Amino acid sequence: MKIILNADDFGMTHEANLGIEKAMQEGYCSQTSVVANTNYFDEAVEIAQKHGFMDKVGLHINLFDGTPLTGGIKKLKKYARSDMFDYRPGIIYSHLPFYKDEIGEELEAQIQKYKKAGFSLMNIDSHHCAFYDIPVLFALIPLLKKYRFESVRYIGNSYFNGKWFREKYGKYWIETMDKTGLRHVNYSSSVATYDKNMKKRNPKLIREKNVEVYVHPVLIGDHLIDNYTGGTHLKESFHRTGLAKKQFITSKDI
């Protein structure tokens, strides 16, 4: 089994930038994905240029944090407040194509900023899984073709929890994304979920040749922390879960 080890949230904060810089340099991640609409985006670009991993940075589309890059979405009360993202569409607006044009305008601005910076991995994922929602998915799909993205993170393993609606909707999401023809792996999860599924010998993980595991590195003092797990030390978790012994690849290798 080969692992795409993706560091989410590059560019989100100064601490995230330092954490991902260290994780990439020390081999704890094989690629990362950057948030384009924050004050720390330019710092992330400088770090990737300095260490020569511009070709290992995908786009982490973001509708939750920071300031939108476009004006239309700022007018939508379910998406922004006081010119800042405040994403709370609720179940109806999440599953019907409301405000697809305004969302598409914002996504395109983030894509353009990513490409203008010179990043070239052309892999895409989303902050807090925003592109699971129908308006975001429908807005994004034509942009994937327009800007020639090559790969995408599929709906996460933990989404499928046995509930009827999730099983049916997750299948629909996969069928819709399949039509883009973008490369992807069939399994993706956090380190904690990966570890749990490995211990359970979950066939959805064990049978796969390539899988994706995502982390959220931040550097706090001298400590490299996975922010997603609430403070797990990245180095310790990599050795404990056996990830340190795996072969790492990038999205271009699938």
Side-chain angles (χ1 to χ4, degrees):
M1 180 187 295
K2 298 177 182 178
I3 308 288
I4 297 170
L5 209 300
N6 194 88
D8 288 13
D9 292 353
F10 196 31
M12 183 67 76
T13 64
H14 178 59
E15 291 78 12
N17 283 347
L18 294 180
I20 291 170
E21 178 181 24
K22 186 176 179 67
M24 292 292 288
Q25 285 297 99
E26 297 190 1
Y28 294 115
C29 296
S30 58
Q31 65 182 48
T32 180
S33 48
V34 69
V35 181
N37 70 304
T38 70
N39 294 331
Y40 300 94
F41 175 80
D42 290 341
E43 180 184 61
V45 176
E46 292 176 2
I47 289 170
Q49 289 174 337
K50 176 183 176 182
H51 295 293
F53 60 86
M54 293 290 288
D55 60 339
K56 296 180 180 178
V57 182
L59 176 60
H60 198 56
I61 62 172
N62 171 38
L63 298 173
F64 281 87
D65 295 298
T67 305
L69 299 179
T70 55
I73 202 167
K74 292 180 181 179
K75 300 175 183 178
L76 306 179
K77 293 182 179 179
K78 291 186 176 295
Y79 296 91
R81 183 176 297 183
S82 301
D83 288 341
M84 300 289 288
F85 274 126
D86 184 24
Y87 189 83
R88 44 186 179 83
I91 191 166
I92 294 176
Y93 282 79
S94 294
H95 294 94
L96 292 173
F98 291 107
Y99 305 130
K100 182 169 66 71
D101 292 342
E102 290 87 349
I103 293 169
E105 180 186 34
E106 174 64 24
L107 297 183
E108 186 161 26
Q110 293 184 19
I111 290 169
Q112 289 175 344
K113 191 170 181 181
Y114 166 82
K115 285 182 64 67
K116 185 177 180 181
F119 295 122
S120 60
L121 181 62
M122 299 310 294
N123 181 67
I124 196 162
D125 54 49
S126 65
H127 190 48
H128 295 325
C129 306
F131 67 4
Y132 290 2
D133 293 349
I134 284 291
V136 185
L137 178 65
F138 282 13
L140 179 63
I141 283 178
L143 298 173
L144 296 176
K145 182 177 181 180
K146 179 178 180 179
Y147 289 96
R148 300 182 180 180
F149 276 86
E150 299 172 0
S151 56
V152 61
R153 177 186 294 167
Y154 261 35
I155 200 163
N157 176 264
S158 59
Y159 182 85
F160 298 96
N161 60 5
K163 293 184 178 179
W164 174 85
F165 177 78
R166 285 206 167 203
E167 294 293 325
K168 186 171 183 177
Y169 180 75
K171 183 179 179 181
Y172 169 78
W173 189 97
I174 289 171
E175 290 173 349
T176 303
M177 187 61 79
D178 276 348
K179 295 176 183 178
T180 67
L182 270 65
R183 298 193 307 271
H184 65 278
V185 298
N186 294 319
Y187 177 95
S188 64
S189 76
S190 67
V191 174
T193 301
Y194 166 84
D195 187 37
K196 179 178 68 176
N197 283 321
M198 285 294 284
K199 289 176 178 176
K200 290 170 57 178
R201 304 298 293 174
N202 186 327
K204 290 184 178 180
L205 170 60
I206 298 300
R207 70 188 178 201
E208 297 296 333
K209 294 181 179 179
N210 300 317
V211 306
E212 180 174 3
V213 177
Y214 47 80
V215 292
H216 299 69
V218 294
L219 190 64
I220 307 298
D222 295 327
H223 301 292
L224 185 59
I225 304 297
D226 183 358
N227 200 39
Y228 185 82
T229 61
T232 302
H233 287 257
L234 204 56
K235 183 176 180 179
E236 293 174 6
S237 69
F238 269 44
H239 287 283
R240 177 175 49 79
T241 60
L243 280 168
K245 298 178 181 179
K246 298 292 185 180
Q247 180 181 348
F248 289 172
I249 60 174
T250 72
S251 298
K252 287 187 179 294
D253 299 317
I254 58 176

